[in-house]
Amino acid sequence: MQAADLAIITALESARSFTSAARQLGVAHTTVSRKLKELEDHFGTRLADRRDDGVVLTPEGERLLESARRIETELAGLERDIAGRDHRLTGHVTLTTVDALAWLYLPTLTQFRTRHPQIELALEVTAEPRNLSRREAQVALRATNAPDDHLFGRQLGSLDFFPYAAANLADLGPEMPWLEYGGTDCSQPAGRWMRRNHPLVRPGASLPTPLMMFRAVAGGLGAGLVPSALAETAPGLVRLEETPAFSIGIWLLTPMELRQTARIRALFEAFAGSGR
């Protein structure tokens, strides 16, 4: 048995099916079944049961899951500690962020690549935040007002959300169609603002991210709350109020163990002059 084999148990616990676990691990369905059988033969006991509601770990499987997570955490810490001692301006850096911030900071990333061609930069744009502690990425560019306190971070600025509309809609008054956020960190503060300022309005569409909201508002689909940093790139948009509806901080974050790594420091320095 190898430490990597224990990933089968953690994947089955979270996915609750062999097919989903295989997809999560990037292997074939038969590989998950075979590896589980090998683990059960090694320990001499059943580790998981197939039920109508999915795969469920046995008590022995739960004990192995606890050990697997502990080993995974220790290996991740060891890897970060070793990486943190690397003082070379080479190697790989994975930066995870959301679409709006990727779009806004693309010039900064371009300058970084030009200045440090020996550093391989991978940009992951996803709606779901990656777990830095579990090595899913080394650096995160996040919009948040509550950054994780176990991470090293620098606030780059903030996204200030104002109500905007396309010029042809700006004078419609009560008849103006409105858009809302759905399923993002923006949905709660945006929803509170809408209830205070337009309690009788029923939004006509829901957008998943600030960048999608910006594109929809700029396209004339309706009025909505858009970060001013995005809206200022579209001259045809009209700001409907001069007071921001809400603001969200922009943070660059990395695990504490990596903050002294040369390539991570170089990336932080590149962002230092890119406040919003």
Side-chain angles (χ1 to χ4, degrees):
M1 184 191 70
Q2 299 180 359
D5 296 336
L6 298 178
I8 296 294
I9 294 296
T10 58
L12 283 173
E13 190 274 336
S14 62
R16 294 181 61 83
S17 80
F18 284 88
T19 301
S20 297
R23 188 180 304 115
Q24 181 176 317
L25 294 170
V27 299
H29 172 277
T30 53
T31 300
V32 176
S33 298
R34 177 172 54 81
K35 288 291 187 182
L36 177 62
K37 179 66 165 56
E38 290 175 358
L39 285 172
E40 290 179 331
D41 290 344
H42 178 82
F43 289 104
T45 186
R46 289 189 63 79
L47 299 174
D49 290 324
R50 290 183 175 88
R51 298 181 182 176
D52 292 340
D53 58 347
V55 177
V56 178
L57 297 183
T58 64
E60 291 77 13
E62 291 286 351
R63 289 184 60 191
L64 184 59
L65 175 66
E66 293 178 6
S67 297
R69 285 174 170 167
R70 185 169 60 252
I71 291 171
E72 183 181 67
T73 299
E74 291 176 355
L75 287 175
L78 177 61
E79 181 174 300
R80 292 197 305 270
D81 182 61
I82 293 173
R85 301 172 188 271
D86 190 349
H87 299 292
R88 298 168 298 172
L89 281 171
T90 60
H92 180 89
V93 176
T94 300
L95 172 67
T96 178
T97 190
V98 293
D99 56 4
L101 295 182
W103 193 82
L104 286 172
Y105 285 94
L106 197 57
T108 299
L109 297 176
T110 301
Q111 292 173 7
F112 174 79
R113 285 289 296 120
T114 301
R115 188 173 303 166
H116 302 289
Q118 299 304 315
I119 298 177
E120 182 184 350
L121 178 65
L123 178 63
E124 285 194 358
V125 180
T126 174
E128 294 296 325
R130 292 288 185 253
N131 190 320
L132 299 186
S133 298
R134 297 182 64 178
R135 298 173 294 164
E136 293 177 353
Q138 287 79 50
V139 182
L141 180 61
R142 289 180 180 162
T144 179
N145 287 329
D148 294 337
D149 56 11
H150 66 279
L151 298 174
F152 172 79
R154 175 180 295 165
Q155 185 169 5
L156 304 177
S158 65
L159 292 176
D160 300 319
F161 289 73
F162 292 84
Y164 286 92
N168 63 317
L169 299 180
D171 295 328
L172 291 182
E175 302 301 319
M176 187 184 309
W178 281 85
L179 309 174
E180 67 178 352
Y181 284 100
T184 72
D185 291 338
C186 300
S187 59
Q188 291 187 1
R192 288 193 294 268
W193 185 89
M194 284 294 296
R195 288 191 294 272
R196 285 196 310 268
N197 293 272
H198 302 280
L200 301 180
V201 169
R202 287 185 173 273
S206 177
L207 284 304
T209 68
L211 184 59
M212 291 295 293
M213 177 66 77
F214 163 63
R215 298 297 297 171
V217 172
L221 187 60
L225 298 176
V226 177
S228 57
L230 292 175
E232 288 165 1
T233 67
L237 288 185
V238 177
R239 184 183 291 186
L240 303 178
E241 293 187 13
E242 291 306 313
T243 301
F246 63 94
S247 298
I248 300 179
I250 303 173
W251 285 82
L252 194 65
L253 302 164
T254 193
M256 289 289 185
E257 299 88 345
L258 296 182
R259 68 187 187 280
Q260 295 301 328
T261 305
R263 57 184 178 273
I264 303 297
R265 288 205 316 271
L267 187 59
F268 269 70
E269 290 168 3
F271 276 92
S274 303
R276 291 284 172 185

